[in-house]
Amino acid sequence: MAEYETILVEQRGRVGWITLNRPQALNALNSQLASELAAAASAFDDDEGVGAIVLTGSERAFAAGADIKEMADKSAHEMSMQNPFAGLETFSRLRTPVVAAVAGYALGGGCELAMMCDVILAADTAVFGQPEINLGVIPGLGGTQRLPRAIGVYKAAELVLTGRTMDAAEAERAGLVSRVVPAAELLDEAGRVAEVIASKSLPVVYAAKDALRAAQQTTLAEGLRLESRVFASLFALDDQKEGMAAFREKRAPEFRHR
Ligand code: CO8
């Protein structure tokens, strides 16, 4: 496995684990971290032996945002010509599902990174927000687009315009997180969710993720067309035959992932 300086990477069974590891900066996202995250996640994405990815940080912070110290003195020209976070675009386009396990701060780019994942499990210590307005900027990694889709336009507007943060319970009520768990159980629970996903048929999981993503990006009519096309195409897979045969034979399916 490649050597990285800002993340820890490990494979356990069919689950790839990526841990953000810049403790001195509360896992602030700098350009090196963005490109290492993209490289590690892409390597898992290319590996048929990996059926799900867990992305996590530390107990204190999932990620406290983009690295303010790295960005502060850049010009508008530099920010638009040399996007330091280009790697995060790659991350947001993975076909493998990603479970974000969020403890502590998920602010700014950290909240936006969590929203690029498919499932967000939050520890009861998690704090979410888009405080960029306090720095004289706005969210730049999807916060003004994904947050309103996740929690509604008015709640998102309040958070983005005031910079107020939400605790885990409020984030769960608002629909930003899949589930809140006690902090001590966060990683075990994230591992369990990822293992369940990784036990399913990989191409079917890719198809489900694709269709779910379409719900955020297209019209209802286009999304429904895509869903029904994909649904029909899955009948070409061995795993669909196996899944339905197993149901009829009252046994657990043995997916061969193709
Ligand atoms: N960037 C750089 N360093 C950071 C960041 C950050 N985002 N957050 C924390 N750190 C550093 C601190 O500077 C400090 O380092 P040092 O000890 O060397 O001074 C260390 O981490 C510990 O932080 P604190 O001492 O501040 O810890 P506290 O527990 O007192 O406070 C907070 C924790 C509340 C999380 C506080 O650190 C904070 O407010 N951080 C900034 C949060 C923030 O504003 N995030 C948004 C950043 S902007 C952004 O994400 C935009 C993304 C879009 C970019 C798109 C480009 C195309």
Side-chain angles (χ1 to χ4, degrees), residues 165-201:
T165 59
M166 289 192 285
D167 65 15
E170 184 179 358
E172 185 180 34
R173 282 197 304 277
L176 180 59
V177 305
S178 317
R179 210 142 41 82
V180 179
V181 299
E185 293 165 26
L186 178 69
L187 295 185
D188 285 348
E189 193 53 30
R192 272 193 287 276
V193 171
E195 277 163 24
V196 170
I197 295 169
S199 73
K200 313 295 182 196
S201 166

mmCIF file of all heavy atoms in Angstrom, residues 165-201:
data_model
loop_
_atom_site.group_PDB
_atom_site.id
_atom_site.type_symbol
_atom_site.label_atom_id
_atom_site.label_comp_id
_atom_site.label_asym_id
_atom_site.label_seq_id
_atom_site.Cartn_x
_atom_site.Cartn_y
_atom_site.Cartn_z
ATOM 1 N N THR A 165 -23.102 26.600 14.322
ATOM 2 C CA THR A 165 -22.873 25.158 14.187
ATOM 3 C C THR A 165 -24.055 24.381 14.779
ATOM 4 O O THR A 165 -24.845 24.925 15.546
ATOM 5 C CB THR A 165 -21.572 24.726 14.900
ATOM 6 O OG1 THR A 165 -21.669 25.074 16.283
ATOM 7 C CG2 THR A 165 -20.356 25.377 14.274
ATOM 8 N N MET A 166 -24.138 23.084 14.408
ATOM 9 C CA MET A 166 -25.196 22.197 14.926
ATOM 10 C C MET A 166 -24.544 21.048 15.664
ATOM 11 O O MET A 166 -23.544 20.504 15.181
ATOM 12 C CB MET A 166 -25.945 21.507 13.769
ATOM 13 C CG MET A 166 -26.834 22.340 12.947
ATOM 14 S SD MET A 166 -27.884 21.281 11.894
ATOM 15 C CE MET A 166 -26.743 20.741 10.649
ATOM 16 N N ASP A 167 -25.117 20.635 16.780
ATOM 17 C CA ASP A 167 -24.605 19.425 17.425
ATOM 18 C C ASP A 167 -25.185 18.193 16.717
ATOM 19 O O ASP A 167 -26.012 18.315 15.791
ATOM 20 C CB ASP A 167 -24.892 19.428 18.938
ATOM 21 C CG ASP A 167 -26.385 19.378 19.264
ATOM 22 O OD1 ASP A 167 -27.199 19.067 18.367
ATOM 23 O OD2 ASP A 167 -26.740 19.660 20.420
ATOM 24 N N ALA A 168 -24.748 17.017 17.167
ATOM 25 C CA ALA A 168 -25.127 15.785 16.462
ATOM 26 C C ALA A 168 -26.637 15.571 16.473
ATOM 27 O O ALA A 168 -27.219 15.159 15.468
ATOM 28 C CB ALA A 168 -24.414 14.589 17.100
ATOM 29 N N ALA A 169 -27.271 15.876 17.608
ATOM 30 C CA ALA A 169 -28.712 15.626 17.711
ATOM 31 C C ALA A 169 -29.479 16.516 16.725
ATOM 32 O O ALA A 169 -30.401 16.048 16.043
ATOM 33 C CB ALA A 169 -29.182 15.886 19.146
ATOM 34 N N GLU A 170 -29.071 17.782 16.647
ATOM 35 C CA GLU A 170 -29.752 18.687 15.699
ATOM 36 C C GLU A 170 -29.482 18.241 14.260
ATOM 37 O O GLU A 170 -30.389 18.267 13.413
ATOM 38 C CB GLU A 170 -29.283 20.140 15.903
ATOM 39 C CG GLU A 170 -30.042 21.102 14.995
ATOM 40 C CD GLU A 170 -29.641 22.569 15.162
ATOM 41 O OE1 GLU A 170 -28.787 22.883 16.018
ATOM 42 O OE2 GLU A 170 -30.184 23.400 14.409
ATOM 43 N N ALA A 171 -28.245 17.808 13.994
ATOM 44 C CA ALA A 171 -27.912 17.354 12.637
ATOM 45 C C ALA A 171 -28.749 16.134 12.259
ATOM 46 O O ALA A 171 -29.190 15.994 11.125
ATOM 47 C CB ALA A 171 -26.414 17.036 12.542
ATOM 48 N N GLU A 172 -28.998 15.261 13.237
ATOM 49 C CA GLU A 172 -29.817 14.076 12.942
ATOM 50 C C GLU A 172 -31.270 14.485 12.678
ATOM 51 O O GLU A 172 -31.886 14.032 11.715
ATOM 52 C CB GLU A 172 -29.753 13.067 14.095
ATOM 53 C CG GLU A 172 -30.497 11.781 13.758
ATOM 54 C CD GLU A 172 -30.463 10.760 14.884
ATOM 55 O OE1 GLU A 172 -30.466 11.162 16.060
ATOM 56 O OE2 GLU A 172 -30.441 9.557 14.566
ATOM 57 N N ARG A 173 -31.779 15.378 13.520
ATOM 58 C CA ARG A 173 -33.168 15.846 13.294
ATOM 59 C C ARG A 173 -33.306 16.502 11.929
ATOM 60 O O ARG A 173 -34.320 16.356 11.256
ATOM 61 C CB ARG A 173 -33.571 16.867 14.380
ATOM 62 C CG ARG A 173 -33.947 16.267 15.714
ATOM 63 C CD ARG A 173 -34.717 17.274 16.575
ATOM 64 N NE ARG A 173 -34.013 18.530 16.796
ATOM 65 C CZ ARG A 173 -33.073 18.728 17.736
ATOM 66 N NH1 ARG A 173 -32.732 17.739 18.548
ATOM 67 N NH2 ARG A 173 -32.480 19.907 17.857
ATOM 68 N N ALA A 174 -32.251 17.217 11.525
ATOM 69 C CA ALA A 174 -32.307 17.954 10.258
ATOM 70 C C ALA A 174 -32.128 17.033 9.047
ATOM 71 O O ALA A 174 -32.362 17.434 7.919
ATOM 72 C CB ALA A 174 -31.228 19.034 10.251
ATOM 73 N N GLY A 175 -31.683 15.799 9.278
ATOM 74 C CA GLY A 175 -31.500 14.869 8.158
ATOM 75 C C GLY A 175 -30.104 14.901 7.565
ATOM 76 O O GLY A 175 -29.862 14.325 6.504
ATOM 77 N N LEU A 176 -29.158 15.559 8.256
ATOM 78 C CA LEU A 176 -27.791 15.606 7.719
ATOM 79 C C LEU A 176 -27.039 14.319 8.004
ATOM 80 O O LEU A 176 -26.134 13.963 7.262
ATOM 81 C CB LEU A 176 -27.022 16.804 8.314
ATOM 82 C CG LEU A 176 -25.577 16.969 7.849
ATOM 83 C CD1 LEU A 176 -25.518 17.148 6.324
ATOM 84 C CD2 LEU A 176 -24.917 18.167 8.529
ATOM 85 N N VAL A 177 -27.403 13.623 9.073
ATOM 86 C CA VAL A 177 -26.670 12.397 9.383
ATOM 87 C C VAL A 177 -27.608 11.199 9.334
ATOM 88 O O VAL A 177 -28.810 11.318 9.579
ATOM 89 C CB VAL A 177 -25.961 12.459 10.766
ATOM 90 C CG1 VAL A 177 -25.064 13.669 10.856
ATOM 91 C CG2 VAL A 177 -26.931 12.433 11.915
ATOM 92 N N SER A 178 -27.033 10.051 8.997
ATOM 93 C CA SER A 178 -27.834 8.833 8.910
ATOM 94 C C SER A 178 -28.265 8.391 10.303
ATOM 95 O O SER A 178 -29.388 7.933 10.506
ATOM 96 C CB SER A 178 -27.020 7.709 8.281
ATOM 97 O OG SER A 178 -26.281 8.178 7.183
ATOM 98 N N ARG A 179 -27.346 8.530 11.267
ATOM 99 C CA ARG A 179 -27.606 8.006 12.612
ATOM 100 C C ARG A 179 -26.564 8.586 13.568
ATOM 101 O O ARG A 179 -25.427 8.830 13.182
ATOM 102 C CB ARG A 179 -27.440 6.487 12.582
ATOM 103 C CG ARG A 179 -28.271 5.717 13.543
ATOM 104 C CD ARG A 179 -28.791 4.399 12.948
ATOM 105 N NE ARG A 179 -27.881 3.636 12.138
ATOM 106 C CZ ARG A 179 -26.937 2.795 12.606
ATOM 107 N NH1 ARG A 179 -26.726 2.660 13.891
ATOM 108 N NH2 ARG A 179 -26.199 2.094 11.765
ATOM 109 N N VAL A 180 -26.951 8.770 14.841
ATOM 110 C CA VAL A 180 -25.992 9.195 15.876
ATOM 111 C C VAL A 180 -25.734 8.006 16.792
ATOM 112 O O VAL A 180 -26.667 7.293 17.168
ATOM 113 C CB VAL A 180 -26.552 10.363 16.726
ATOM 114 C CG1 VAL A 180 -25.556 10.770 17.807
ATOM 115 C CG2 VAL A 180 -26.883 11.557 15.840
ATOM 116 N N VAL A 181 -24.469 7.779 17.132
ATOM 117 C CA VAL A 181 -24.118 6.679 18.042
ATOM 118 C C VAL A 181 -23.185 7.231 19.122
ATOM 119 O O VAL A 181 -22.539 8.258 18.925
ATOM 120 C CB VAL A 181 -23.436 5.500 17.291
ATOM 121 C CG1 VAL A 181 -24.353 4.908 16.251
ATOM 122 C CG2 VAL A 181 -22.126 5.936 16.652
ATOM 123 N N PRO A 182 -23.100 6.534 20.278
ATOM 124 C CA PRO A 182 -22.151 6.990 21.297
ATOM 125 C C PRO A 182 -20.733 7.005 20.719
ATOM 126 O O PRO A 182 -20.372 6.112 19.936
ATOM 127 C CB PRO A 182 -22.286 5.931 22.395
ATOM 128 C CG PRO A 182 -23.631 5.315 22.177
ATOM 129 C CD PRO A 182 -23.878 5.361 20.702
ATOM 130 N N ALA A 183 -19.958 8.013 21.114
ATOM 131 C CA ALA A 183 -18.628 8.188 20.523
ATOM 132 C C ALA A 183 -17.786 6.911 20.602
ATOM 133 O O ALA A 183 -17.081 6.558 19.647
ATOM 134 C CB ALA A 183 -17.908 9.346 21.213
ATOM 135 N N ALA A 184 -17.886 6.206 21.719
ATOM 136 C CA ALA A 184 -17.037 5.017 21.905
ATOM 137 C C ALA A 184 -17.386 3.908 20.914
ATOM 138 O O ALA A 184 -16.591 2.991 20.702
ATOM 139 C CB ALA A 184 -17.174 4.506 23.336
ATOM 140 N N GLU A 185 -18.585 3.987 20.333
ATOM 141 C CA GLU A 185 -19.015 2.911 19.420
ATOM 142 C C GLU A 185 -18.914 3.301 17.945
ATOM 143 O O GLU A 185 -19.257 2.510 17.058
ATOM 144 C CB GLU A 185 -20.474 2.529 19.722
ATOM 145 C CG GLU A 185 -20.642 1.870 21.076
ATOM 146 C CD GLU A 185 -22.107 1.823 21.522
ATOM 147 O OE1 GLU A 185 -23.000 1.822 20.658
ATOM 148 O OE2 GLU A 185 -22.330 1.813 22.743
ATOM 149 N N LEU A 186 -18.455 4.537 17.689
ATOM 150 C CA LEU A 186 -18.540 5.064 16.314
ATOM 151 C C LEU A 186 -17.809 4.186 15.296
ATOM 152 O O LEU A 186 -18.376 3.807 14.259
ATOM 153 C CB LEU A 186 -17.986 6.497 16.270
ATOM 154 C CG LEU A 186 -17.977 7.127 14.870
ATOM 155 C CD1 LEU A 186 -19.402 7.399 14.398
ATOM 156 C CD2 LEU A 186 -17.166 8.419 14.864
ATOM 157 N N LEU A 187 -16.562 3.853 15.571
ATOM 158 C CA LEU A 187 -15.784 3.140 14.550
ATOM 159 C C LEU A 187 -16.296 1.717 14.357
ATOM 160 O O LEU A 187 -16.369 1.221 13.231
ATOM 161 C CB LEU A 187 -14.295 3.149 14.916
ATOM 162 C CG LEU A 187 -13.659 4.547 14.911
ATOM 163 C CD1 LEU A 187 -12.170 4.470 15.167
ATOM 164 C CD2 LEU A 187 -13.934 5.286 13.595
ATOM 165 N N ASP A 188 -16.665 1.045 15.477
ATOM 166 C CA ASP A 188 -17.222 -0.306 15.339
ATOM 167 C C ASP A 188 -18.491 -0.275 14.498
ATOM 168 O O ASP A 188 -18.702 -1.114 13.622
ATOM 169 C CB ASP A 188 -17.560 -0.901 16.719
ATOM 170 C CG ASP A 188 -16.307 -1.330 17.453
ATOM 171 O OD1 ASP A 188 -15.232 -1.373 16.809
ATOM 172 O OD2 ASP A 188 -16.393 -1.589 18.668
ATOM 173 N N GLU A 189 -19.337 0.712 14.768
ATOM 174 C CA GLU A 189 -20.609 0.789 14.042
ATOM 175 C C GLU A 189 -20.358 1.108 12.562
ATOM 176 O O GLU A 189 -20.989 0.522 11.680
ATOM 177 C CB GLU A 189 -21.512 1.837 14.693
ATOM 178 C CG GLU A 189 -22.951 1.807 14.236
ATOM 179 C CD GLU A 189 -23.627 0.445 14.343
ATOM 180 O OE1 GLU A 189 -23.269 -0.358 15.238
ATOM 181 O OE2 GLU A 189 -24.509 0.168 13.505
ATOM 182 N N ALA A 190 -19.413 2.029 12.314
ATOM 183 C CA ALA A 190 -19.103 2.366 10.910
ATOM 184 C C ALA A 190 -18.567 1.128 10.197
ATOM 185 O O ALA A 190 -18.917 0.845 9.043
ATOM 186 C CB ALA A 190 -18.091 3.501 10.850
ATOM 187 N N GLY A 191 -17.718 0.361 10.890
ATOM 188 C CA GLY A 191 -17.178 -0.871 10.306
ATOM 189 C C GLY A 191 -18.293 -1.861 9.996
ATOM 190 O O GLY A 191 -18.303 -2.491 8.935
ATOM 191 N N ARG A 192 -19.260 -1.960 10.926
ATOM 192 C CA ARG A 192 -20.370 -2.905 10.696
ATOM 193 C C ARG A 192 -21.191 -2.491 9.476
ATOM 194 O O ARG A 192 -21.524 -3.319 8.630
ATOM 195 C CB ARG A 192 -21.286 -2.974 11.932
ATOM 196 C CG ARG A 192 -20.840 -4.017 12.954
ATOM 197 C CD ARG A 192 -21.941 -4.278 13.983
ATOM 198 N NE ARG A 192 -22.104 -3.176 14.912
ATOM 199 C CZ ARG A 192 -21.373 -3.003 16.016
ATOM 200 N NH1 ARG A 192 -20.447 -3.882 16.342
ATOM 201 N NH2 ARG A 192 -21.573 -1.967 16.803
ATOM 202 N N VAL A 193 -21.508 -1.212 9.385
ATOM 203 C CA VAL A 193 -22.304 -0.744 8.239
ATOM 204 C C VAL A 193 -21.540 -1.013 6.941
ATOM 205 O O VAL A 193 -22.095 -1.527 5.955
ATOM 206 C CB VAL A 193 -22.645 0.764 8.373
ATOM 207 C CG1 VAL A 193 -23.279 1.297 7.095
ATOM 208 C CG2 VAL A 193 -23.561 1.001 9.566
ATOM 209 N N ALA A 194 -20.244 -0.694 6.948
ATOM 210 C CA ALA A 194 -19.446 -0.890 5.727
ATOM 211 C C ALA A 194 -19.357 -2.370 5.368
ATOM 212 O O ALA A 194 -19.426 -2.740 4.193
ATOM 213 C CB ALA A 194 -18.055 -0.291 5.923
ATOM 214 N N GLU A 195 -19.220 -3.235 6.380
ATOM 215 C CA GLU A 195 -19.144 -4.677 6.086
ATOM 216 C C GLU A 195 -20.447 -5.187 5.480
ATOM 217 O O GLU A 195 -20.429 -6.024 4.583
ATOM 218 C CB GLU A 195 -18.831 -5.464 7.366
ATOM 219 C CG GLU A 195 -17.357 -5.508 7.682
ATOM 220 C CD GLU A 195 -17.076 -5.918 9.118
ATOM 221 O OE1 GLU A 195 -17.950 -6.585 9.721
ATOM 222 O OE2 GLU A 195 -16.001 -5.548 9.631
ATOM 223 N N VAL A 196 -21.558 -4.701 5.986
ATOM 224 C CA VAL A 196 -22.848 -5.129 5.410
ATOM 225 C C VAL A 196 -22.898 -4.718 3.936
ATOM 226 O O VAL A 196 -23.226 -5.528 3.058
ATOM 227 C CB VAL A 196 -24.043 -4.526 6.193
ATOM 228 C CG1 VAL A 196 -25.341 -4.786 5.447
ATOM 229 C CG2 VAL A 196 -24.113 -5.114 7.587
ATOM 230 N N ILE A 197 -22.545 -3.472 3.650
ATOM 231 C CA ILE A 197 -22.565 -3.013 2.254
ATOM 232 C C ILE A 197 -21.622 -3.878 1.409
ATOM 233 O O ILE A 197 -21.978 -4.328 0.310
ATOM 234 C CB ILE A 197 -22.155 -1.522 2.163
ATOM 235 C CG1 ILE A 197 -23.188 -0.642 2.874
ATOM 236 C CG2 ILE A 197 -21.993 -1.092 0.701
ATOM 237 C CD1 ILE A 197 -22.756 0.815 3.070
ATOM 238 N N ALA A 198 -20.431 -4.141 1.959
ATOM 239 C CA ALA A 198 -19.410 -4.882 1.198
ATOM 240 C C ALA A 198 -19.781 -6.347 1.001
ATOM 241 O O ALA A 198 -19.176 -7.033 0.180
ATOM 242 C CB ALA A 198 -18.059 -4.765 1.901
ATOM 243 N N SER A 199 -20.776 -6.837 1.752
ATOM 244 C CA SER A 199 -21.182 -8.236 1.579
ATOM 245 C C SER A 199 -22.174 -8.395 0.425
ATOM 246 O O SER A 199 -22.499 -9.497 0.020
ATOM 247 C CB SER A 199 -21.828 -8.758 2.871
ATOM 248 O OG SER A 199 -23.124 -8.186 3.030
ATOM 249 N N LYS A 200 -22.686 -7.285 -0.090
ATOM 250 C CA LYS A 200 -23.665 -7.361 -1.186
ATOM 251 C C LYS A 200 -22.929 -7.512 -2.513
ATOM 252 O O LYS A 200 -21.706 -7.463 -2.579
ATOM 253 C CB LYS A 200 -24.531 -6.103 -1.216
ATOM 254 C CG LYS A 200 -25.094 -5.658 0.121
ATOM 255 C CD LYS A 200 -26.062 -6.653 0.708
ATOM 256 C CE LYS A 200 -26.650 -6.132 2.032
ATOM 257 N NZ LYS A 200 -27.297 -7.183 2.812
ATOM 258 N N SER A 201 -23.711 -7.645 -3.577
ATOM 259 C CA SER A 201 -23.111 -7.737 -4.905
ATOM 260 C C SER A 201 -22.515 -6.383 -5.293
ATOM 261 O O SER A 201 -23.227 -5.370 -5.303
ATOM 262 C CB SER A 201 -24.187 -8.135 -5.908
ATOM 263 O OG SER A 201 -23.703 -7.914 -7.215
#
